[in-house]
Amino acid sequence: MSKPSLPESYIHHIREMLGSEAEAFIDSYEEPRVQGLRFNSIKATPELKKQVIEQFNLTQVPWCETGYYYQSNERPGKHVYHAAGLYYIQEPSAMSAVEMLNPQPGEIILDLAAAPGGKTTHIASLMEDQGLLVSNEIHPSRAKILAENVERMGLSSVVVTSAAPGELSARFPAAFDRIMLDAPCSGEGMFRKDPDAVTEWSDDLVTLCVNRQWDILQDAYIMLKPGGTLAYSTCTFNREENEGMMERFVAAYPDLTLVRTERIWPHSAQGEGHFVAVVTKADSQAYTSQEPDEQPRKRKEKRGRNPRQTASSKELESAWNAYLVWSSDHTDTVANGNGKPLLFGEALYVLPERADQLLTDDRLNGLKLPRPGLHVGDWKKGRFEPAHALALALGQHQTVNMQHVSLDAETSQVAAYLRGESLPAESGLTGWTLVTANGLPLGWGKASAGQLKNRLPKGLRRMQ
């Protein structure tokens, strides 16, 4: 691999930072990129992990128990296990941030700049999908990708929002036990992966990112509970966006403590590079800022139409009751049965159980919600149809009707299902049926007259 043409100013900064190690760092750009995947512990049984590790010749990422390296000639992203949410393709260095955040089951957590979803799905996995994770992405198109990745991993504890940090801080002051802020940065750790990142880099870009990061941190501070923990990360190397930013942050707020910082350098570890800092907030909210202009800013909250008013309370009740009846007929347990239902047009969602106190109607009013909890199904003209997201969130032993498709290349059942083709139904099957491969749900089929009609969403079907 040829070395990218690095900006002279960037090289100067690196030599100032690393001294005698600088040449080894610069030479690392001639090395190939490092590839990684992280298992979804909600779905990964020991048997499945062992199979994947052997199939793709995986080796352990030292800072992440569920993270593994794979060689560039392997293609785990093309495998059916990826479609089933068994693992997430993720750059290995980036796995360090959530490990240092150390999320726990049952907590209320915010991922403030979350797309495309690597850190969100990692957090939810360590939470064992218990509690509430608000996963935010300001850009609508990226928020859509984030919601799709959350769905693929079969998560029911995640609510995806699309809002500016200031809008969130106005709605959710002192609301979160932990906050993950993977801050937008100058992307120096992307140089080996993306040549455009090299051409876009400049000292002015670093300054722009520093100002943006500082603004976002003010809102993160407002939303962090007393006694809470914030993990701040970037995929860049300069001090201004990393140690310098954290020093400035804790100096501005005396109730903050910088607990730990870690760097992964591409010349000394297998990874593209990452910076992570962990900050805690004291139990007492009383503090005096060193500078008046660095007091937490009060935001004027935007208000809009209540999203629940897309359906009447009677329609909502009818849809929810239909889901409960369907679940009693088709599953062993009601997914998110204690959560709060929301009806958007025909789409029925269920907020996580821990969301009741935080995600009140008043706080949801006007907030963009690309994924307001688990999409359990659609209420269509008086009948309930289960959603694809519900299929991926169910375990193999939670449904009455199941059909297992073979991974054998000679039968190509999995390939046929992922193309959207119908399959022969197993004897005795009728109605909604969960299609699985090695126990991993892939989606729904509907059995009738010996045929299993494919109900995989068209947008997820593979052309080949």
Side-chain angles (χ1 to χ4, degrees), residues 279-291:
V279 174
T280 57
K281 191 176 192 180
D283 286 335
S284 171
Q285 295 187 52
Y287 77 96
T288 303
S289 179
Q290 293 181 356
E291 298 181 29

Side-chain angles (χ1 to χ4, degrees), residues 5-53:
S5 180
L6 302 174
E8 285 299 321
S9 177
Y10 172 69
I11 293 174
H12 174 74
H13 290 311
I14 288 297
R15 285 179 172 151
E16 280 192 332
M17 287 182 66
L18 292 179
S20 61
E21 290 186 56
E23 294 310 313
F25 172 84
I26 294 168
D27 289 343
S28 73
Y29 284 105
E30 296 182 0
E31 300 297 324
R33 285 174 52 204
V34 178
Q35 314 284 344
L37 65 80
R38 178 180 41 74
F39 281 103
N40 178 3
S41 58
I42 297 162
K43 296 192 174 192
T45 64
E47 294 77 17
L48 283 171
K49 278 188 69 174
K50 183 175 184 294
Q51 180 189 336
V52 173
I53 289 169

Side-chain angles (χ1 to χ4, degrees), residues 27-310:
D27 289 343
S28 73
Y29 284 105
E30 296 182 0
E31 300 297 324
R33 285 174 52 204
V34 178
Q35 314 284 344
L37 65 80
R38 178 180 41 74
F39 281 103
N40 178 3
S41 58
I42 297 162
K43 296 192 174 192
T45 64
E47 294 77 17
L48 283 171
K49 278 188 69 174
K50 183 175 184 294
Q51 180 189 336
V52 173
I53 289 169
E54 292 176 352
Q55 182 171 350
F56 295 113
N57 301 306
L58 305 182
T59 55
Q60 180 80 52
V61 172
W63 47 83
C64 179
E65 184 179 354
T66 54
Y68 288 81
Y69 300 104
Y70 66 89
Q71 299 301 313
S72 58
N73 62 318
E74 302 287 0
R75 294 290 183 270
K78 302 287 187 182
H79 198 276
V80 64
Y81 288 159
H82 181 263
L86 179 60
Y87 48 75
Y88 188 100
I89 304 298
Q90 187 176 21
E91 194 281 310
S93 299
M95 300 176 190
S96 60
V98 172
E99 292 293 323
M100 288 177 60
L101 179 65
N102 193 29
Q104 300 297 311
E107 291 183 327
I108 297 176
I109 298 177
L110 171 66
D111 188 357
L112 187 48
K119 291 179 175 63
T120 279
T121 55
H122 194 173
I123 292 168
S125 184
L126 291 178
M127 292 172 69
E128 299 174 6
D129 205 24
Q130 299 173 27
L132 171 64
L133 173 56
V134 176
S135 184
N136 183 68
E137 173 54 48
I138 188 172
H139 300 289
S141 60
R142 287 170 55 80
K144 183 174 182 290
I145 295 169
L146 169 63
E148 290 169 352
N149 280 322
V150 167
E151 176 179 289
R152 181 172 60 82
M153 303 300 273
L155 303 174
S156 60
S157 64
V158 183
V159 173
V160 176
T161 61
S162 183
E167 183 182 356
L168 289 182
S169 66
R171 295 171 186 268
F172 303 114
F176 297 100
D177 299 304
R178 299 178 200 261
I179 295 176
M180 180 72 245
L181 174 53
D182 186 37
C185 68
S186 57
E188 294 163 0
M190 301 287 287
F191 285 0
R192 191 157 58 174
K193 174 183 177 181
D194 182 7
D196 289 340
V198 181
T199 58
E200 292 170 1
W201 187 92
S202 68
D203 288 317
D204 288 341
L205 176 62
V206 172
T207 300
L208 177 68
C209 291
V210 164
N211 293 334
R212 183 185 297 148
Q213 291 154 1
W214 181 247
D215 285 343
I216 298 172
L217 279 168
Q218 312 314 298
D219 294 304
Y221 175 86
I222 293 169
M223 290 186 280
L224 188 63
K225 284 181 180 179
T229 300
L230 179 145
Y232 171 90
S233 70
T234 75
C235 61
T236 206
F237 301 119
N238 63 76
R239 283 197 87 261
E240 293 91 334
E241 296 179 68
N242 295 319
E243 290 90 349
M245 181 60 63
M246 289 297 95
E247 290 164 5
R248 180 183 176 189
F249 189 40
V250 297
Y253 300 106
D255 59 343
L256 295 181
T257 300
L258 181 59
V259 176
R260 179 184 174 193
T261 62
E262 292 287 346
R263 279 184 181 266
I264 295 173
W265 291 97
H267 67 288
S268 57
Q270 283 189 284
E272 301 302 297
H274 222 66
F275 170 85
V276 187
V278 176
V279 174
T280 57
K281 191 176 192 180
D283 286 335
S284 171
Q285 295 187 52
Y287 77 96
T288 303
S289 179
Q290 293 181 356
E291 298 181 29
D293 64 353
E294 295 190 351
Q295 293 282 350
R297 296 163 297 160
K298 292 184 178 180
R299 301 282 192 164
K300 184 176 180 181
E301 185 177 349
K302 295 180 181 178
R303 288 292 181 179
R305 183 170 56 125
N306 188 328
R308 294 187 68 188
Q309 292 179 0
T310 58

